[in-house]
Amino acid sequence: MNMIDVAIIITYFCVIAIVGVIGMKRAKTSEDYTVAGRNLNFFMFTACLSALTLGGAATIGTAKLGYQFGLSGMWFVFSQGLGLIIISLFLAKKIFNLRVITIGEMLENRFNVEARLISSLVSATYTTMLTVTQVIAIGSVLNVWVGWNSTVSILVAGGIVMFYTVLGGMWSVTMTDIVQFAVMTIGIFFIMLPLSLQKVGGFSGLQASLPVGHFNLTATGGLDILKSIMLYTLGIVVGQDVWQRVFTAKSLKVSRIGMIASGGYSVLYAVTVAIIGMCALVVVPDLAVPQNAFATIAMQALPVGALGLVLAGVLSALMSTSSGTLLASSTLIVNDVIKRLFMQNMSEKRFLQISRMTTLAIGIFSIVCALWIQDVLAALDIAFAVLSGALFFPIILGFFWKRVSARAVFYSIIASTVVIGISLAKYGTTSIIPILYGLITSIIIILILTIVEALRKSASDHIQM
């Protein structure tokens, strides 16, 4: 990579670090640190939510799928956008009016403290694994583009993310996300897409160079599309990282419209990056590692300077998601475990101290894990399988079915998590079976235990009469 491009990347890192430090000055209370004081306007909210959901897996992973399958590679990110729209239409009012910080708090209010604790541990596992996927992608991109050693790449970029997230929490994440949203939008839509198409002779040249199947939206197969919807749509609907962003909106109207706007943006992003992956197939048809499709086409198609800007855009996507999920993990552990069980009367100052220490610890753990897990989509599948399979029905039924019992929810989360873990080990991360088994286990246990408890209560009431 040219020194000009490297200089752009280094400058970008410096700007993000400075913006993060500025955000630290606004994090004075627990609500400031966790939900930015619940005070984001439409633009800030939409930019931050989009930056959160469209991370490294969305960019690197969709380009990889576009390289392998064509336009149908869009379903991965399309499913995430669909999840945001579903939240806006059906859950936004219920979530916004809770005035809580975590999903676990909602489950305790609806059921009991045991449901809060077990759901928070499952959600923390999910958000931590999401952080790992972003760190993996950062290492991959910097290794291919800049030529840095993967370990060095992860330590540098991951360290910057930890730095500003630890210091300023959600306010630092919000301020950096706004910058990152602008950079990734310019880099992907206004530089990468047009120059990639130009490299292959425009869209007509792309059509002439690829088989018809690459323009078929169902080329990946109905099972893979269903898997994307079950993993990512359901996962977005019950994800702590997304809920935590919903809590940052200054009004219900902002949260609803912002989620629809962000969902629409996600769909456009999905199509755009899939097309970029298709261009990579034309330019480099024998790529040994499809995960490097995005980086490879960028190096082939972009001139000096533009390459640095696009890389900054990709890093924006990676860093914004990793900071959001890192903060979500920390919030779950501190708010739902440490504070709830051990330090219920902790002061605001103490909460901030413990939050920063926990964020740092989870960040270090995520970086270590990233050195062990090499495939971005594999790590993402693990995260969403655990989340969707274990928490979707407890949360949704908790909202819409008053007869669901706390005991039923508690045991359904434990059982479905165990089933998913065993199924992932047996069938692998690419299989749809773990999420199906998890969902089936969850709903069966909830139904059986709820019905049994209802019958027991009815019999008890009859005897007393």
Side-chain angles (χ1 to χ4, degrees):
M1 178 177 281
N2 189 280
M3 288 302 298
I4 294 176
D5 295 313
V6 175
I8 291 173
I9 299 307
I10 294 174
T11 301
Y12 168 74
F13 281 151
C14 292
V15 169
I16 290 299
I18 292 170
V19 172
V21 171
I22 294 172
M24 176 186 67
K25 296 180 180 179
R26 305 191 66 171
K28 298 178 180 179
T29 68
S30 58
E31 282 206 346
D32 289 337
Y33 194 87
T34 55
V35 291
R38 305 183 191 271
N39 199 37
L40 300 191
N41 60 32
F42 170 76
F43 172 75
M44 296 172 70
F45 177 78
T46 303
C48 293
L49 187 59
S50 299
L52 170 72
T53 54
L54 299 173
T59 306
I60 307 302
T62 299
K64 171 187 175 181
L65 294 173
Y67 185 91
Q68 294 174 312
F69 303 106
L71 274 179
S72 62
M74 65 170 277
W75 283 103
F76 159 37
V77 175
F78 176 91
S79 299
Q80 293 181 313
L82 179 61
L84 293 176
I85 294 172
I86 288 174
I87 295 176
S88 175
L89 296 178
F90 300 105
L91 295 174
K93 184 175 181 180
K94 291 180 178 293
I95 294 174
F96 188 82
N97 289 337
L98 290 173
R99 308 302 293 178
V100 296
I101 294 177
T102 66
I103 289 176
E105 279 188 90
M106 181 279 285
L107 289 176
E108 181 178 10
N109 292 341
R110 175 65 176 82
F111 300 111
N112 58 19
V113 67
E114 287 80 9
R116 175 178 184 172
L117 294 175
I118 190 65
S119 68
S120 295
L121 292 175
V122 171
S123 291
T125 301
Y126 152 75
T127 49
T128 299
M129 191 58 69
L130 281 187
T131 306
V132 172
T133 67
Q134 309 314 306
V135 176
I136 293 171
I138 288 172
S140 173
V141 168
L142 290 178
N143 176 254
V144 174
W145 286 18
V146 186
W148 293 353
N149 177 275
S150 294
T151 301
V152 173
S153 301
I154 288 172
L155 290 175
V156 171
I160 292 173
V161 170
M162 280 197 301
F163 172 73
Y164 70 75
T165 307
V166 167
L167 290 180
M170 186 61 82
W171 267 120
S172 287
V173 170
T174 295
M175 295 182 70
T176 54
D177 275 0
I178 292 171
V179 175
Q180 290 164 339
F181 175 76
V183 172
M184 63 189 277
T185 299
I186 293 170
I188 297 297
F189 289 98
F190 297 102
I191 298 178
M192 189 69 184
L193 177 63
L195 291 181
S196 296
L197 286 173
Q198 184 183 60
K199 185 72 174 180
V200 299
F203 197 76
S204 59
L206 188 65
Q207 288 180 304
S209 303
L210 294 178
V212 176
H214 268 63
F215 298 88
N216 183 349
L217 291 178
T218 60
T220 57
L223 196 61
D224 278 340
I225 294 172
L226 178 62
K227 176 188 172 185
S228 292
I229 293 174
M230 295 185 70
L231 282 177
Y232 306 124
T233 301
L234 301 189
I236 286 290
V237 169
V238 296
Q240 166 65 25
D241 49 338
V242 175
W243 277 43
Q244 197 162 342
R245 293 306 175 96
V246 175
F247 300 145
T248 66
K250 68 187 303 182
S251 69
L252 175 59
K253 182 178 179 181
V254 166
S255 68
R256 273 186 160 165
I257 299 177
M259 278 187 284
I260 291 176
S262 184
Y265 182 91
S266 297
V267 172
L268 292 176
Y269 196 92
V271 174
T272 298
V273 179
I275 291 174
I276 291 170
M278 294 164 67
C279 291
L281 179 61
V282 175
V283 176
V284 191
D286 55 350
L287 194 60
V289 183
Q291 186 166 286
N292 293 334
F294 190 97
T296 303
I297 183 63
M299 297 182 71
Q300 293 280 344
L302 303 182
V304 173
L307 180 59
L309 288 173
V310 169
L311 177 53
V314 175
L315 291 172
S316 294
L318 300 170
M319 296 170 71
S320 57
T321 298
S322 59
S323 61
T325 53
L326 176 57
L327 182 61
S329 299
S330 171
T331 302
L332 286 162
I333 298 300
V334 175
N335 190 69
D336 289 357
V337 180
I338 297 176
K339 182 180 179 181
R340 182 64 181 84
L341 289 184
F342 307 108
M343 304 177 68
Q344 294 187 19
N345 297 317
M346 75 167 69
S347 65
E348 291 288 333
K349 182 178 180 180
R350 187 63 174 158
F351 185 96
L352 292 175
Q353 290 174 340
I354 294 176
S355 293
R356 289 184 172 118
M357 289 188 292
T358 305
T359 304
L360 178 62
I362 295 173
I364 293 172
F365 174 79
S366 298
I367 289 175
V368 172
C369 286
L371 299 175
W372 289 78
I373 305 174
Q374 296 299 315
D375 192 310
V376 171
L377 293 182
L380 195 71
D381 284 350
I382 293 171
F384 274 95
V386 172
L387 179 76
S388 302
L391 293 186
F392 181 77
F393 282 125
I395 291 173
I396 298 303
L397 293 178
F399 272 133
F400 296 105
W401 191 23
K402 293 182 178 181
R403 295 184 64 184
V404 176
S405 69
R407 183 166 171 264
V409 165
F410 178 77
Y411 284 111
S412 76
I413 294 174
I414 292 178
S416 56
T417 300
V418 171
V419 167
I420 291 167
I422 294 173
S423 300
L424 284 169
K426 182 176 181 179
Y427 297 103
T429 61
T430 60
S431 174
I432 195 175
I433 292 177
I435 178 65
L436 284 174
Y437 281 2
L439 288 169
I440 292 171
T441 301
S442 178
I443 190 65
I444 287 177
I445 290 180
I446 287 176
L447 291 175
I448 290 176
L449 292 183
T450 299
I451 292 172
V452 168
E453 290 191 17
L455 292 174
R456 183 183 300 167
K457 184 177 183 300
S458 177
S460 176
D461 292 342
H462 181 72
I463 291 173
Q464 291 178 4
M465 291 176 63

